[in-house]
Amino acid sequence: IELDKALERLINELEANGKLDNTVIVLLADHYPYGLKQENIETLVGHPLDSVELHHSNLIIWNSEIRTQKIEKPCMSIDVIPTVYNLFGLDYDSRLFMGKDIFSTTEGLVIINDRSWVTSKGTYYASTGNFIPKNEDIDQNYIKNTNQIVNNRLNISKKIIESDYYRILKK
């Protein structure tokens, strides 16, 4: 309720100052409410959550002049910057980001810190090695290849941090 009130006030102030049309608001929860027990979160959501679904949240990108679109493709917080950069037409080297533009035609991929993952084809649980398909049987090569992509992205991300790569790149 407080966020709704704050957004209403922000939008009203921007409009009153003639800045609303030149403003983009991006809202993303970066994690589930850590302070709540899972049973309380499940009560709010209305159904039981597994270890992957617990991380589900929403992203809102809003401007007074853009049309509403609902994207069902799995995405994660690292996809926000490439998406916003592309929306603004900013020039950047996409190789420097692990995330992808949400509006692109690439398959969405959500990586959970335990190496579980979600795509439009299903959910992989790393702790058990089980893949739960959404609609169809999936070839084992798809699972193997996606696991390799997940491992590569996590390993590259770790190396970027360990080597302070962006500081080196800046030079």
Side-chain angles (χ1 to χ4, degrees):
I1 293 172
E2 294 304 317
L3 177 61
D4 288 347
K5 289 178 183 178
L7 285 171
E8 179 182 30
R9 181 174 179 188
L10 175 63
I11 289 169
N12 288 339
E13 290 288 328
L14 288 167
E15 188 170 36
N17 290 301
K19 296 182 179 181
L20 184 62
D21 293 344
N22 292 322
T23 300
V24 174
I25 297 172
V26 179
L27 296 171
L28 172 69
D30 64 343
H31 57 78
Y32 61 90
Y34 291 147
L36 291 179
K37 294 180 182 175
Q38 186 162 338
E39 63 192 49
N40 298 102
I41 297 170
E42 290 172 350
T43 299
L44 288 171
V45 174
H47 59 85
L49 300 172
D50 63 31
S51 61
V52 171
E53 192 179 14
L54 178 64
H55 295 276
H56 182 265
S57 66
N58 293 300
L59 166 66
I60 298 170
I61 302 175
W62 182 86
N63 171 272
S64 63
E65 297 188 344
I66 59 175
R67 67 179 173 84
T68 300
Q69 280 186 281
K70 185 173 183 178
I71 306 297
E72 298 289 341
K73 171 167 108 172
C75 58
M76 55 191 288
S77 58
I78 63 173
D79 298 320
V80 175
I81 295 292
T83 302
V84 171
Y85 277 17
N86 281 336
L87 284 172
F88 280 99
L90 300 175
D91 188 31
Y92 71 99
D93 188 343
S94 63
R95 297 172 300 171
L96 299 177
F97 292 91
M98 290 296 120
K100 306 293 180 202
D101 181 353
I102 295 165
F103 296 107
S104 74
T105 57
T106 60
E107 180 178 45
L109 173 63
V110 172
I111 301 170
I112 309 299
N113 60 355
D114 70 349
R115 297 187 185 263
S116 297
W117 48 266
V118 179
T119 68
S120 58
K121 294 182 179 176
T123 303
Y124 176 80
Y125 296 88
S127 62
T128 61
N130 289 335
F131 179 77
I132 309 299
K134 287 198 177 165
N135 296 320
E136 59 191 80
D137 288 334
I138 300 299
D139 183 314
Q140 288 299 311
N141 283 330
Y142 175 81
I143 298 166
K144 181 180 175 185
N145 291 339
T146 306
N147 274 326
Q148 188 61 55
I149 291 167
V150 167
N151 287 331
N152 288 346
R153 287 193 189 176
L154 290 173
N155 290 336
I156 290 168
S157 295
K158 181 179 176 184
K159 293 292 184 192
I160 287 170
I161 292 169
E162 288 175 351
S163 68
D164 200 7
Y165 180 72
Y166 292 117
R167 182 183 55 81
I168 295 166
L169 183 65
K170 186 178 173 183
K171 290 182 179 183

